[in-house]
Each structure stands twice: as structure tokens, then as C-alpha cells.
Amino acid sequence: MNLKLTGIALFALITYTIDAQKVEVKKTFKEAAAQTNVMLQGIPDARDGKPELITPRTLDNGKLKLVSSRDWTSGFFAGQLWFLYEYTKDNYWKAKADSFTTLLNKEKLNAGTHDMGFKMYCSYGTGYRLTKDEQYKQVIIQSAKTLTKRFNKTIGSIKSWDFTVSNWQFPVIIDNMMNLELLFAATRFTGDSSYYRIAVTHANTTLKNHFRSDNSSYHVVDYDTVTGQVKSKQTAQGYADGSAWARGQAWGLYGYTMCYRETKDKRYLEQAERIASFIMDHPNQPADAVPYWDYNDPTIPNTSRDASAAAVTASALYELSGYSKNKRTYIAFADKVLTSLTRDYRSPIGDNKGFLLLHSTGHRPAKSEIDVPIIYADYYYLEALLRSRGK
Ligand code: GLY
């Protein structure tokens, strides 16, 4: 027997077994529940006399930072509470989830943001999926109606930001793909196909203009409002205009996977598969599959990771595995991400004001939220854990 070859085979088997390891969902949810209670206890004090601050976003010099309902991250904590209810079926979590969800109600009329889906679908949408509460449904419909005010027919997109940098006229960011789920839901609830049409038009315009030949995406595409043509392709939160900002790639993957679920348009499935390959095969993808904040930061490995990008990617890949012939590859990669996050990126219970995951990067070029816990990492981590069941 060739001892060397046997050794290699054994090593490969052990590596495969470790890679294929499943996170223990029951234990991890129990710990997440304990940690979320720590967060709930800290919220009243963190308000610091400002009642408009309703929901956690991150840690700021070790202090729990709350935001108002206007902030793009305001729906994630409510969504996290709904996931705890989904897993435990415990009405304690349902009551908490309902109270943090309904605090967002007035955002249904806020047309000043494209982040409506993040805010209202992660909260009310998840709540509706679990409860079928008619009042939640009405809020979702109104939120979708408000979001459609940002759609421009000439361009074929929903406008992302109202503020301008470099004389932007009509900036559209890849993140905006995530807001389309709200529109698909509104068509299902009302039978009015206009929401669906806006969603697919936006997805098609993004497909045409946001992606490079290596299937990575630009962060920001700015359009001319008169001609509808692309004016520039840039970044706001990435390393450079031509770089691949890690969370942006994850939003694209999740967005096109969701668009395939809603439409069964093969072009969306193929795009999601191409983005998945870009992420999984990237030479700068670390061994633990938790990416650096931008795949092209030249200071890799001496720069920050983004656990939130990893969590969004894992959640998207579990869903994509249900539609693609690459099922096993996607599940194996998502399992690897979840194993790493659970083993090496979690906060000890009782620490970090109740956040679940450490080591996310919010906006590195603005020197903001670097290597900190961020609420959307926790939301997509729990969603990925739920989706990992039975895979
Ligand atoms: N949508 C903003 C972000 O991903 O940071």
C-alpha cells in the first residue's frame, strides 16, 4: 500500500468532513435568543432620552447605537425577532417582533428612499409570511406604492439616492435589487401587475448596465434623466470604481436569486449562478469564506472582513441551491460560511450589547463602521441558519 497516497486520501476525507459540517441550528438559535435578550435589555438605556431612536444598528465605541425608522437598517432587528419566532414558535418573540415592526409604520409613506424593501419587507414582510396579519399586508402594499414613485420610465430603474456626489443625476446602486421583493409581493397581494413590471424592468436595466465581463458588479451606475443613458459607473462604498465591493456582490447574488424565484426568468438564474462563481472562485476569497470588505483591496490580507457579506451570500446560496444544477456546490459553500461565522465570528453571550456577529464593514471609504457588529449581518445570519435546515 502506498502510505503517502493513503495519507493524502485521509487528509482529503477529513477536510471534506470538516467542510461539509453542518452548524447545529438548535444550539445556535438558543444562543442567539439569549444574546437577543441582552440586546432588548440594553435598548431603553441606549435611547438616551430620544424616543425617535427605536432600533439597533451597530456599536459606536462600544456603545449600542440606535437609529430612527428613517435609517435604511431600521427593519432588520424586527426581522431578527421574527426569525426567532419562526424557529421557536414562542409567542414571547412574536410579541417583541410585532412591537418593533409596528414602530416602522410611518415609513410606508416615505418616498425619499429606495431602501423601502430593506425596511418594510424584512420586518412587515417576514411578519406577514409568519402570521398572515391583514394589517401587515396593507402596510406592505402602501410601502410598494410609495416605492414606485422613484421609478423612472425613460431609464427603466428605481432611483437609489437623492443626494448627489460627482454630479449624479439618477444614481442606481446594486443594493437596490433587494428592494424588488416588496414589489413582487404587492402584485401577489393586489393582482395589480404594475409593481411586478417595475421590478422586472429594474432588474433588466441592472442586468444590462451593472455587470462587468468577469460578472462582478459596479456599485453605482448613474443615468442621464433626459436620454436614459448611462453617464458613469462608480463606487461609493467600495475600494475603487472598478473594484468588487464584497457586500455589493452579495446583494446582486441574493437579488437575482430572488428575482428568479418570483419570475422563473432563466436570465436571472444564470446571472445568479455567474455571481456565485465570481464569489466562490475569487482568488482573494479567504479559506474561511468570509470575504474581505472588497475583493480588490490591494492591502488584503491586512484589511477588514465583512461578515455581513458572508451572511447574505450564505442565505442566497441556500435558496439558489433549490433552483440550480450546482446545488451541492452551493450548499457546501454556504455550509462553510455558516461554520466559519458560527465558530469564529460570533460574540460571546452577554458581550457586544447583544449583537450576534462581529467583524462586519459598513462603509470603509468613509471610515465608518469598520470591523464592528452590524444588525444586517445578524439578520441574514439567522435567515441563512433557517434556510440551512434540511439542506
Ligand atoms: N445598502 C447599503 C449597504 O449595503 O451598506
Side-chain angles (χ1 to χ4, degrees):
M1 189 190 295
N2 182 331
L3 269 182
K4 196 172 164 205
L5 275 183
T6 313
I8 291 169
L10 198 61
F11 178 75
L13 183 68
I14 292 168
T15 310
Y16 177 77
T17 313
I18 289 169
D19 276 357
Q21 214 169 40
K22 289 280 180 195
V23 168
E24 283 179 73
V25 176
K26 189 172 176 192
K27 180 169 176 282
T28 312
F29 254 88
K30 198 167 166 211
E31 290 163 355
Q35 188 65 342
T36 305
N37 272 322
V38 170
M39 182 163 274
L40 283 166
Q41 280 156 20
I43 288 174
D45 268 358
R47 259 184 202 131
D48 204 16
K50 298 188 187 94
E52 72 278 12
L53 299 180
I54 55 166
T55 188
R57 172 169 170 144
T58 186
L59 288 184
D60 191 2
N61 286 320
K63 284 175 80 176
L64 182 59
K65 180 179 171 182
L66 304 182
V67 290
S68 72
S69 62
R70 290 180 64 81
D71 190 273
W72 81 273
T73 65
S74 64
F76 293 116
F77 187 57
Q80 174 174 333
L81 296 166
W82 282 119
F83 289 148
L84 285 163
Y85 171 61
E86 180 171 10
Y87 187 75
T88 61
K89 308 279 183 293
D90 183 338
N91 282 330
Y92 167 82
W93 292 114
K94 186 181 183 195
K96 297 285 180 210
D98 177 70
S99 72
F100 277 87
T101 296
T102 50
L103 285 173
L104 305 172
N105 188 293
K106 69 174 182 198
E107 290 305 310
K108 67 187 178 198
L109 298 172
N110 178 4
T113 173
H114 76 128
D115 288 318
M116 192 68 107
F118 280 121
K119 293 200 282 193
M120 306 307 263
Y121 206 71
C122 296
S123 53
Y124 281 94
T126 310
Y128 180 76
R129 178 169 64 76
L130 298 174
T131 64
K132 302 290 177 260
D133 185 321
E134 188 57 30
Q135 286 176 2
Y136 293 175
K137 187 198 261 189
Q138 294 312 317
V139 174
I140 292 167
I141 295 166
Q142 178 57 61
S143 302
K145 197 174 284 175
T146 304
L147 179 59
T148 61
K149 292 186 183 151
R150 300 184 67 79
F151 180 71
N152 179 309
K153 257 198 232 158
T154 311
I155 293 164
S157 274
I158 296 163
K159 186 180 186 188
S160 291
W161 291 327
D162 289 345
F163 63 84
T164 181
V165 174
S166 320
N167 293 320
W168 286 336
Q169 284 186 16
F170 194 98
V172 179
I173 62 175
I174 187 68
D175 324 27
N176 207 339
M177 288 297 301
M178 299 296 285
N179 294 307
L180 306 183
E181 197 168 7
L182 174 73
L183 300 178
F184 288 120
T187 286
R188 264 201 314 282
F189 294 160
T190 60
D192 176 350
S193 62
S194 64
Y195 304 104
Y196 182 103
R197 281 202 308 275
I198 288 174
V200 297
T201 306
H202 181 98
N204 293 341
T205 304
T206 302
L207 198 53
K208 187 164 149 228
N209 296 325
H210 259 81
F211 291 93
R212 310 182 182 107
S213 54
D214 67 354
N215 301 308
S216 66
S217 84
Y218 288 94
H219 184 204
V220 188
V221 174
D222 185 37
Y223 293 91
D224 184 308
T225 46
V226 177
T227 64
Q229 296 304 303
V230 172
K231 276 181 70 221
S232 64
K233 300 187 179 190
Q234 300 179 344
T235 196
Q237 280 163 263
Y239 173 76
D241 290 344
S243 74
W245 174 51
R247 198 162 54 256
Q249 313 315 304
W251 292 143
L253 174 67
Y254 193 115
Y256 281 99
T257 302
M258 175 273 295
C259 283
Y260 178 69
R261 179 218 307 152
E262 296 291 343
T263 63
K264 296 297 169 216
D265 185 331
K266 279 266 161 27
R267 288 175 307 160
Y268 301 154
L269 175 63
E270 285 161 9
Q271 189 60 31
E273 291 175 332
R274 286 192 286 262
I275 303 169
S277 298
F278 175 86
I279 292 172
M280 295 189 308
D281 303 339
H282 198 284
N284 286 341
Q285 183 65 258
D288 69 359
V290 177
Y292 295 95
W293 73 286
D294 188 304
Y295 289 97
N296 303 109
D297 181 342
T299 64
I300 286 175
N302 302 313
T303 191
S304 54
R305 303 290 186 105
D306 186 6
S308 76
V312 174
T313 298
S315 187
L317 286 177
Y318 283 126
E319 175 164 22
L320 187 58
S321 75
Y323 310 139
S324 169
K325 58 187 182 326
N326 307 324
K327 178 182 173 122
R328 290 175 63 84
T329 314
Y330 296 155
I331 293 174
F333 192 88
D335 285 348
K336 189 178 190 178
V337 174
L338 274 195
T339 301
S340 297
L341 291 177
T342 305
R343 192 185 51 210
D344 301 326
Y345 289 76
R346 268 190 313 164
S347 165
I349 295 172
D351 289 358
N352 295 293
K353 306 291 179 198
F355 282 99
L356 306 182
L357 292 182
L358 309 173
H359 308 308
S360 288
T361 300
H363 193 338
R364 196 175 171 101
K367 298 189 172 42
S368 164
E369 299 178 337
I370 299 171
D371 196 16
V372 289
I374 305 187
I375 196 67
Y376 44 88
D378 294 359
Y379 172 91
Y380 288 103
Y381 173 60
L382 291 190
E383 186 181 66
L385 276 170
L386 288 170
R387 289 178 170 186
S388 75
R389 293 176 300 173
K391 294 282 185 190

